[in-house]
Each structure stands twice: as C-alpha cells, then as structure tokens.
Amino acid sequence: MPEDWQGEHVLLSGLLQKELGRPPCALPEHKAVHKAAASSTLHNPFPTFKFTGPLRPIYPLSPRRSIPDHIPKPDWHQDGQPKYRLFGRNNIAILDKKAQDAMRKVCRLTREVLDIAAKEVRPGVTTDYLDEVVHNACIERNSYPSPLNYVHFPKSVCTSLNEIICHGIPDQRILLDGDILNLDVSLYHEGYHGDLNETYYVGPSALNPSNTHLVETTRECLSLAIDAVKPGLPFREIGNIIEKHAKANNCSVVKAYCGHGINTEFHPAPSIPHYAKNKAVGVAKPGICFTIEPMISLGSYRDKTWPDNWTSATVDGSRTAQFEHTLLVTEDGVEVLTERMEGSPGGRVERVKETKEGERV
C-alpha cells in the first residue's frame, strides 16, 4: 500500500473497530451476516471499486433530512427530476430589476450559509455533520438546499475532499489535519437559486507547499476570470484566462464540469467551460446571471466517477481545488452576488514555500 494511502486505511479500520468493538477482520465471514452488519456499521459500500486515490466513502449515510411544509420547494424535491433541460438552450435569460434583486437576496443568504458551515470545518468533525449544519441554516432562512434530491443527490451540500473534484456526498468520514475540503452550497429562496463554493484548509498541517500552491492558484484563476467579465465578453474567453494561469502554475483544468447560468432555474444557459479553446456560445450582456467555478488539479484533469454516480475524483488521485461565485453582468462590468463578507472564514493565504532541505517557510 502506498504511503499516502495509509491514513485513509487506518481511519476506516479504526472507525470500524470503534463501532464494532473488534477489528474489521473479525467480522463474521458468512456473507449474509456480513451484509447485515455492514448495513448498520461504518463501512466502505464499494469494496471492489478501484479508487484512484486514498479517500474512501464511509457509510451508512444518515437519513434524508426533512424540509418543513411552509418552505417553497423546487420541482425536483419529490421525484428527483428537474422539469427543464439542463443545458443545450441558446436562449439566455436577461433578468429585470425585480429578478436581479431576488438574485441578490438569495446569493446573500447562500453566502451566510456557507460561512456558517465553514466555521465548523476542523479536524474531527464528519462531512455528514457539515451537511446537517448547512441544512439547518437553510431552513432558518426559509430556503430549500438546492442539491437535496436534485437528480437524486441525497444530501443538502456537496463536500469534496482532497482528490474529489466535485459532488462529494457527505458521509461519516472524519476530517483530518492536512485535508483540503470544498463546500458547495446552493439555496432556493423565493423562486431563485444562489450557488457558491470555496475550498478550505483543514487544520495546521493543511498549510503545506502543495496544498497552498493548489488552493491559491485556483482562487486566483477565479479572480482573474471575474476581473474580465463585462458586457461583450465572449463566454468562451473565460476558459482561456483560467487555463493560462493554471498552466503557468503547473496545474491542469478539469474539463468535465463547467459554470452555468442561474436564476429561477438551477443550471440553465449559458455554459461556462473553464478550459482554453472551448466553443461556448454567447457573450456577456447586462442582466445575465451565471457562475464561474474552476476546478484545478495538481495532476491530471481527467476524472472518474464513484459508483454512487455523483462523486467525481481525479483519475490519478491528485488533489484538486475549486472556487465558485454567482455573478451578475452590469452595464459597465460585473457584480459578485456571492462576494465574501467581513469575517467570512477562509480567504487567501500566502503560499508555503519548501526549502531544499524540505523545511517549510
């Protein structure tokens, strides 16, 4: 077993032993008994899957969290199916003043919820606990967590650790000192969606040369792209800006996922690829709302999806980071609707350098 895989192996084994009162190898060997035990104890639900990196899912998932009747819900809350086509439409919505104000409100609430969850990020808590925090914060704001049951996603927030590019499902995995964690929060409030994510350092050991290089490069990619947004900007140009900076820092841009329009629908047009020489259709116009959310990898840009049909990992197990904002194109530039507030957790840090002797400075 490679050295960097041992932490996850030990973690899962330790959790199983704590839960069962005996080492995992002492589980009953009879298949039926083993299956029954696994359904109620901490376990990896995909033991034969060839994972690309150290991370493993730790089940069981907690039950689906409920939404009070008085909170308005998107059309997928019952059957898991949005009633519109996700992409492929060339009609890009131009929002009037009332709709723009509604987007400002839901995006402010989205920022509040992300900040509440981010304050709980620390070694020793589970990603399922963070899901509970996000869910409750949404309810307190009379909002529906947009990911919940969206195409059957089982949770209220995406928690993507280390080599997970996006769409990580909150489970019983404990955050470890040295992890990096992306929290992707989306709210549905009064008929409109807000979308926002950031990557956070978990514990002091996370502030190391490779992590800070990756995370800060990704943060810069988003910032540079936002700086270019104004009326007339071709959407395809955004990917050129992002990939230029990523390549200059010896990183790659994930191509499988992109930014998107957002308003009364969760993922309408336009499509916003983050890689260079893409063929995105359309130009920025005042009144258009969309997201930019680059996913940057220290290694390969290629992805592999876990058997849960959601969790997307880098094919080589390399670490990846992501940042996202919801933007409104204005008459002379852009308004960042999900901008950080004074006191928002996280934020830019200086890159940690490594000396020839391996010391951090």
Side-chain angles (χ1 to χ4, degrees):
M1 178 181 295
E3 182 178 355
D4 61 350
W5 288 49
Q6 292 178 358
E8 292 293 333
H9 176 75
V10 171
L11 170 67
L12 182 56
S13 298
L15 288 171
L16 283 168
Q17 182 167 353
K18 180 179 179 181
E19 179 74 14
L20 299 174
R22 57 180 180 271
C25 59
L27 284 169
E29 294 185 2
H30 190 277
K31 290 184 179 180
V33 177
H34 179 82
K35 183 176 181 180
S39 66
S40 59
T41 60
L42 299 177
H43 65 284
N44 172 6
F46 314 118
T48 62
F49 179 70
K50 293 183 179 179
F51 292 92
T52 62
L55 195 69
R56 299 291 182 272
I58 301 181
Y59 278 39
L61 299 182
S62 58
R64 176 175 167 178
R65 306 189 197 281
S66 62
I67 304 290
D69 292 339
H70 72 274
I71 292 180
K73 303 168 182 64
D75 54 26
W76 57 80
H77 80 280
Q78 287 186 326
D79 64 7
Q81 297 300 326
K83 303 304 187 290
Y84 58 86
R85 290 164 56 190
L86 302 185
F87 287 107
R89 293 174 297 176
N90 292 323
N91 295 328
I92 300 174
I94 304 292
L95 305 186
D96 60 20
K97 184 180 184 304
K98 182 178 179 180
Q100 291 178 29
D101 287 342
M103 285 298 298
R104 289 187 179 96
K105 183 176 181 180
V106 68
C107 286
R108 175 178 56 80
L109 296 175
T110 305
R111 166 54 69 181
E112 290 177 4
V113 172
L114 177 63
D115 286 356
I116 288 169
K119 289 177 181 177
E120 299 299 317
V121 172
R122 60 185 181 275
V125 306
T126 65
T127 52
D128 182 70
Y129 168 71
L130 297 175
D131 179 73
E132 181 181 9
V133 170
V134 168
H135 187 89
N136 291 341
C138 290
I139 300 305
E140 290 168 0
R141 287 158 180 75
N142 289 315
S143 301
Y144 183 99
S146 301
L148 184 61
N149 208 36
Y150 180 78
V151 197
H152 306 292
F153 188 82
K155 294 297 179 180
S156 297
V157 65
C158 297
T159 54
S160 301
L161 278 158
N162 301 338
E163 73 266 25
I164 304 306
I165 297 167
C166 60
H167 303 155
I169 297 175
D171 60 13
Q172 308 307 320
R173 203 276 195 180
I174 293 172
L175 299 186
L176 302 176
D177 184 20
D179 286 338
I180 55 173
L181 170 69
N182 180 271
L183 293 176
D184 194 343
V185 171
S186 307
L187 265 67
Y188 180 71
H189 183 83
E190 297 180 350
Y192 289 81
H193 296 275
D195 202 1
L196 167 68
N197 77 59
E198 292 192 20
T199 298
Y200 301 94
Y201 300 100
V202 181
S205 295
L207 294 171
N208 61 53
S210 60
N211 280 348
T212 57
H213 180 75
L214 169 64
V215 174
E216 299 312 315
T217 295
T218 308
R219 195 192 310 272
E220 293 158 2
C221 283
L222 176 58
S223 180
L224 289 168
I226 291 173
D227 287 345
V229 176
K230 61 182 180 180
L233 175 76
F235 292 127
R236 65 177 180 272
E237 180 61 23
I238 293 171
N240 295 332
I241 295 168
I242 290 171
E243 184 157 319
K244 179 180 179 181
H245 188 67
K247 281 190 171 181
N249 285 275
N250 297 313
C251 294
S252 64
V253 180
V254 173
K255 298 183 178 182
Y257 304 96
C258 59
H260 52 85
I262 187 166
N263 40 67
T264 57
E265 297 183 354
F266 197 10
H267 297 108
S271 175
I272 311 293
H274 303 116
Y275 55 90
K277 299 180 181 179
N278 66 78
K279 297 181 180 180
V281 175
V283 299
K285 298 178 181 179
I288 293 178
C289 267
F290 65 96
T291 72
I292 303 177
E293 45 188 293
M295 289 145 272
I296 307 300
S297 170
L298 283 174
S300 175
Y301 68 86
R302 299 184 183 277
D303 64 294
K304 182 177 182 179
T305 302
W306 286 6
D308 60 24
N309 296 321
W310 276 107
T311 307
S312 179
T314 53
V315 295
D316 56 359
S318 58
R319 289 199 169 189
T320 178
Q322 182 185 17
F323 287 88
E324 174 186 25
H325 275 305
T326 295
L327 310 172
L328 169 65
V329 183
T330 63
E331 293 293 336
D332 58 358
V334 64
E335 181 178 347
V336 182
L337 301 183
T338 47
E339 65 181 344
R340 292 173 57 81
M341 300 185 293
E342 185 177 353
S344 290
R348 180 182 176 276
V349 303
E350 294 294 330
R351 284 174 169 81
V352 175
K353 297 180 181 180
E354 192 165 8
T355 66
K356 292 182 179 180
E357 292 77 21
E359 297 177 350
R360 288 163 45 183
V361 295

